[in-house]
Amino acid sequence: MDFTLTEEQRQAAEMVRRFAETEVAPIIREWDRRAEMAPHILPRMGELGILGICLPVRYGGQGFDYVTLGLVCEELERVDTTLRVVMSVHVGLCSLALLQWGTEEQKQRFLVPQAKGERYAGFGLTEPGHGSDAARLQSTARREGDVYVLNGEKMWISLATKAHHFLVFARTNPDAPKPSAGLSAFMITGDMKGVTTGDIHGKLGVRAGSTGWIAMQDVEVPVENRIGEEGEGFKIAMSALDNGRYTVAAGATGLIRACLEDSLAYAGQRETFGRPIAQHQLIKQKLAYMSLWYDTARLLYLRAGWMENQGLRNTRQTSMAKWYATDHSVKAALEAVQIHGAYGYSDEYNVERYLRNSKGAVIYEGTSEIHQLMQADYALGYRQDKPLRCELPAYDPEFWQASPSE
Ligand code: CAA
């Protein structure tokens, strides 16, 4: 495994770092206080090609690989978690699922405008009563001729009121031999009759982001909007989560880096007992741990990204990277606040926001407890990955960078 970054990967990360530092860092405190998403963020991310960074040019993307997706997420969350959340749902959970499972016609209809940033995408799996136990979700899809009629509610949905497209999951067969086998996946659009959405207010973190709910009441969804076969919904959801978790892992790595960088700067200038606090051993210990957590988290997500480039199944490695990086981003944020003392307790410094933002990611896209169970089951040999009917394609530069006409 060679972790040397290519010139293209470095340039893409650099472009995104510049965007985040110059266009978002100066305004993020204000939008976080207002608990609103700045309206220009999504269009600007689309304009810069970030929303289609790792998608083939023929599908409206920029033609970069999966490692670049990780690097971009790290750079975005180094400045603010809300930016990376956009990548997790729009690219990780929806666009890559379409690349993996969509027909050519569905890719043209949904993936191309998403990759170009003309349409934003969300992911509707979680429901008010079903989070970790996703297989038992309650939404239903009843086939009636050429349409499915969808009913149900989705909760904690990022970009619920901003997205145009949603990849949603509903039960098509209540009598399936096991709950996971009765689910199917559908693309719905926010303008379909019977779809309503709303925002959730009062969140601990990611306040400058958009989180909400979707209600579906007798929504008629054409059969050609079904992604995959009937009964494949759970596998589509889980494989989408492999990609989403990869972006969360890389983003949380960026959050650890932000905590470390801000702490290094503060510890170098703040003095107590006649010297900078960086020279006190107990502060040094915190900085040492934060460096260890950053390097470990980065290596774990790069391994997963490298495997994805090779077309190797990486459910175990991605789950480990997500579990480690998010747990340690909370620890790093706690230490960063501690190093900043009372200043860290106010939003005068960024570390207060880092701490609030860090907590969500140990809950969404698989709680840390779910990832621990998965890791134990892999170690015990209880859990094995089975080949899928549609695998996420390996990164092939020729295919990825060819223009639509080639
Ligand atoms: N890819 C493809 N298929 C997979 C898969 C994967 N990663 N993981 C499992 N499958 C397949 C299995 O092979 C199995 O196939 P068969 O039926 O042919 O045997 C089928 O799915 C069912 O598998 P299991 O019954 O073994 O279920 P599991 O143990 O894999 O899953 C679980 C159980 C780990 C608890 C899972 O339900 C889970 O991950 N729960 C967490 C859900 C979650 O992360 N929700 C986040 C919501 S999205 C969000 O938060 C985004 C946002 O907007 C903020």
Side-chain angles (χ1 to χ4, degrees):
M1 215 179 299
D2 181 359
F3 286 139
T4 317
L5 299 182
T6 63
E7 194 46 37
E8 291 77 30
Q9 289 168 337
R10 266 201 299 272
Q11 277 175 11
E14 176 55 36
M15 179 275 286
V16 172
R17 185 181 317 142
R18 253 198 325 273
F19 156 69
E21 280 179 352
T22 60
E23 300 186 38
V24 183
I27 59 161
I28 191 62
R29 181 173 301 132
E30 184 200 330
W31 288 97
D32 190 74
R33 280 181 181 165
R34 287 160 71 155
E36 270 178 55
M37 189 172 210
H40 65 279
I41 291 289
L42 282 170
R44 185 71 180 131
M45 287 173 79
E47 195 177 282
L48 291 171
I50 303 174
L51 298 179
I53 195 82
C54 63
L55 289 152
V57 172
R58 71 182 63 207
Y59 296 131
Q62 299 297 314
F64 288 91
D65 67 348
Y66 301 113
V67 166
T68 307
L69 172 64
L71 298 171
V72 162
C73 289
E74 180 182 330
E75 292 300 338
L76 290 173
E77 190 156 0
R78 173 175 165 261
V79 169
D80 197 68
T81 302
T82 55
L83 301 171
R84 191 274 307 151
V85 170
V86 169
M87 297 302 281
S88 294
V89 295
H90 180 92
V91 181
L93 292 172
C94 195
S95 293
L96 288 177
L98 289 169
L99 181 69
Q100 179 168 2
W101 296 91
T103 61
E104 194 54 36
E105 185 275 328
Q106 289 170 336
K107 285 178 185 145
Q108 293 302 331
R109 201 151 44 102
F110 298 114
L111 179 57
V112 170
Q114 289 177 196
K116 287 182 174 172
E118 295 165 357
R119 293 276 183 277
Y120 310 129
F123 183 80
L125 179 67
T126 301
E127 298 187 347
H130 298 272
S132 294
D133 191 5
R136 286 185 174 72
L137 61 78
Q138 300 285 300
S139 294
T140 56
R142 193 180 67 247
R143 174 101 186 230
E144 283 185 10
D146 289 343
V147 298
Y148 286 89
V149 181
L150 266 64
N151 280 286
E153 267 182 72
K154 301 292 175 181
M155 186 76 173
W156 308 116
I157 306 304
S158 302
L159 303 183
T161 56
K162 309 269 185 259
H164 306 89
H165 300 163
F166 298 96
L167 177 59
V168 299
F169 301 86
R171 190 167 306 285
T172 39
N173 181 4
D175 304 319
K178 56 180 183 174
S180 61
L183 303 184
S184 301
F186 302 91
M187 284 301 284
I188 65 166
T189 55
D191 57 4
M192 282 177 170
K193 192 160 173 277
V195 175
T196 41
T197 61
D199 284 318
I200 295 171
H201 298 286
K203 288 175 297 174
L204 174 68
V206 196
R207 290 188 185 160
S210 150
T211 313
W213 50 266
I214 309 172
M216 301 178 291
Q217 196 180 0
D218 294 327
V219 181
E220 294 192 359
V221 181
V223 172
E224 54 273 20
N225 283 27
R226 191 190 67 222
I227 307 297
E229 303 293 336
E230 256 194 32
E232 269 185 336
F234 189 76
K235 290 179 187 175
I236 296 172
M238 290 298 118
S239 59
L241 280 164
D242 287 347
N243 299 321
R245 288 166 182 172
Y246 171 64
T247 62
V248 176
T253 306
L255 188 51
I256 299 174
R257 187 169 127 217
C259 293
L260 175 60
E261 287 173 354
D262 287 22
S263 299
L264 288 171
Y266 187 79
Q269 50 97 6
R270 171 75 176 179
E271 292 195 1
T272 59
F273 307 102
R275 53 191 170 141
I277 61 171
Q279 289 178 21
H280 296 306
Q281 286 188 344
L282 289 175
I283 299 293
K284 282 186 176 177
Q285 185 185 46
K286 293 183 196 308
L287 297 171
Y289 270 116
M290 285 157 84
S291 305
L292 170 66
W293 299 335
Y294 172 65
D295 276 21
T296 312
R298 183 161 161 115
L299 286 170
L300 284 172
Y301 93 68
L302 284 176
R303 174 176 70 167
W306 177 85
M307 290 179 75
E308 204 141 308
N309 275 351
Q310 314 305 308
L312 299 170
R313 183 74 176 270
N314 57 10
T315 303
R316 183 181 78 82
Q317 291 79 4
T318 297
S319 149
M320 185 179 280
K322 192 271 180 188
W323 168 35
Y324 184 89
T326 58
D327 265 12
H328 287 82
S329 69
V330 178
K331 288 186 206 282
L334 280 167
E335 293 295 35
V337 169
Q338 194 68 14
I339 288 171
H340 282 70
Y343 287 109
Y345 199 66
S346 89
D347 74 358
E348 189 179 334
Y349 282 80
N350 289 327
V351 291
E352 175 265 356
R353 194 178 77 253
Y354 299 159
L355 178 60
R356 286 187 290 101
N357 284 353
S358 68
K359 187 59 189 167
V362 295
I363 298 170
Y364 55 65
E365 303 222 17
T367 59
S368 289
E369 289 77 7
I370 287 292
H371 290 293
Q372 288 166 50
L373 294 176
M374 287 173 68
Q375 292 302 322
D377 285 349
Y378 276 118
L380 287 159
Y382 297 165
R383 188 184 170 92
Q384 272 128 24
D385 296 331
K386 293 184 193 160
L388 298 169
R389 187 176 64 78
C390 299
E391 301 285 357
L392 186 70
Y395 177 70
D396 169 1
E398 251 177 62
F399 181 85
W400 250 249
Q401 286 157 16
S403 66
S405 53
E406 287 176 63

